[in-house]
Amino acid sequence: MKVAKTIDEMSALRRQMTGSVGFVPTMGALHEGHLSLVRRARTDNDAVIASIFVNPTQFAPHEDLSHYPRPLDQDLGLLREEGVDVVFIPDASEIYPEGFATWVVMDDVTERLEGASRPGHFKGVATVVAKLLNIVQPQKAYFGRKDAQQLVVIQKMVRDLNMSVEIVPMSTVREADGLAMSSRNAYLSSEERRAAVVLYRDLVSCEQMYEDGIRDASGLRRAIESIIAQELSARVDYVSIADAETLEELETIGTDRPALASLAVYFGKTRLIDNVTLGES
Ligand code: PAF
């Protein structure tokens, strides 16, 4: 596995690659969720490039940028074991050099849910993903459905800006008790970790209610909130039943378009997100 630290090094290695390239962008602290993306990229393509870059522009000043886990040697070992060909690990000054001033800003869809709770977050995500795609030039790029809104934003950016890459969405990978894998799970105390499983229990109940024919979105939101309320250490940031593409909150779930049931909940200082899609064929 080759390691590129600069854009010049990355571009030189990319020029030597023939055939299809699959790309897995990450912020490191890799878990089975990331590795499932790498494995799929490995199966689909002749070569795989991964990146590890804790992108400062997607963190608000009060967020966890300085504490974000950075187990680089362990991450490089995992990527090597999965047969990744090149890993790109730029410094922030390489991606955002002095004088950097061009941003990808998207209307509407970035203002809801995560965007409402984390203003500016998707400006940072869309900009860094656009830059990484330009640098790496993959045929396909792989993203997890756990960050459902991020996936919607990136798919929309690729369509709106006519970028020639296929975005491949991948299912959320869960722990044995259902908690969605996330690098931020490492922040949870053992008591918070026990409590956090309420997110999955709640989404499973929501799916069941949908299967039972309930289409009233306010009723579903209330039901989700009341399940979380039973877990005293949980503090709800938002609960949403929205159109899966526009992310506009729904009154009633229609028969023609899937809905996204999503939630963000604090356990202590740790904010976790999770979601399920309702009515997906
Ligand atoms: O999902 C992530 O890890 C990050 O948001 C991404 C896509 C690597 C951009 O920094």
Side-chain angles (χ1 to χ4, degrees):
M1 183 174 79
K2 304 239 166 55
V3 177
K5 293 190 172 171
T6 65
I7 295 170
D8 284 350
E9 283 166 9
M10 183 60 246
S11 303
L13 289 168
R14 179 66 184 90
R15 278 194 295 275
Q16 290 164 19
M17 289 173 156
T18 51
S20 65
V21 169
F23 177 46
V24 181
T26 81
M27 298 207 301
L30 303 179
H31 51 66
E32 276 299 313
H34 299 109
L35 300 183
S36 74
L37 309 183
V38 172
R39 286 176 199 136
R40 173 69 187 274
R42 189 65 278 165
T43 311
D44 287 355
N45 299 279
D46 297 310
V48 178
I49 301 177
S51 62
I52 299 175
F53 178 60
V54 183
N55 175 34
T57 65
Q58 68 188 75
F59 289 78
H62 64 279
E63 289 182 345
D64 55 345
L65 174 63
S66 60
H67 305 116
Y68 199 83
R70 290 170 170 83
L72 183 60
D73 288 344
Q74 184 184 309
D75 287 347
L76 292 177
L78 290 168
L79 295 176
R80 193 171 292 116
E81 273 170 33
E82 295 297 338
V84 166
D85 297 275
V86 177
V87 59
F88 180 41
I89 50 166
D91 276 346
S93 60
E94 188 71 12
I95 298 295
Y96 301 109
E98 185 106 357
F100 178 85
T102 306
W103 298 92
V104 178
V105 180
M106 190 179 292
D107 298 333
D108 291 342
V109 95
T110 56
E111 284 150 26
R112 313 181 208 290
L113 305 177
E114 288 300 286
S117 294
R118 306 179 67 188
H121 172 67
F122 287 115
K123 174 179 167 187
V125 170
T127 302
V128 80
V129 171
K131 283 178 68 83
L132 290 169
L133 291 173
N134 282 338
I135 295 164
V136 171
Q137 301 275 313
Q139 274 71 35
K140 294 183 179 183
Y142 297 80
F143 293 87
R145 286 183 186 269
K146 191 190 68 87
D147 295 301
Q149 187 173 12
Q150 169 170 284
L151 182 60
V152 168
V153 167
I154 290 166
Q155 285 171 321
K156 188 162 172 49
M157 173 181 79
V158 163
R159 271 199 310 277
D160 286 356
L161 299 182
N162 309 100
M163 299 168 85
S164 64
V165 59
E166 183 189 336
I167 301 301
V168 183
M170 295 283 297
S171 304
T172 301
V173 178
R174 298 181 179 281
E175 303 282 357
D177 63 1
L179 180 68
M181 290 203 182
S182 163
S183 307
R184 291 190 166 100
N185 292 350
Y187 300 151
L188 299 169
S189 68
S190 53
E191 175 50 25
E192 290 162 354
R193 171 64 186 81
R194 186 205 55 72
V197 79
V198 71
L199 299 182
Y200 179 65
R201 276 210 317 272
D202 216 343
L203 290 170
V204 169
S205 308
C206 178
E207 270 180 320
Q208 189 55 56
M209 287 184 270
Y210 178 83
E211 294 301 322
D212 293 344
I214 297 176
R215 296 292 182 270
D216 166 31
S218 313
L220 285 174
R221 277 188 287 269
R222 275 198 305 277
I224 294 177
E225 277 163 359
S226 72
I227 294 174
I228 300 178
Q230 291 163 21
E231 194 52 74
L232 295 180
S233 64
R235 185 165 56 85
V236 173
D237 182 5
Y238 65 76
V239 169
S240 161
I241 307 285
D243 180 275
E245 196 177 318
T246 65
L247 303 184
E248 275 177 84
E249 287 302 314
L250 295 171
E251 279 179 25
T252 307
I253 303 176
T255 47
D256 52 336
R257 291 165 69 86
L260 181 77
S262 65
L263 69 183
V265 177
Y266 284 94
F267 296 89
K269 288 191 177 138
T270 306
R271 183 174 176 279
L272 299 181
I273 57 173
D274 202 351
N275 67 83
V276 287
T277 304
L278 306 172
E280 198 169 41
S281 56

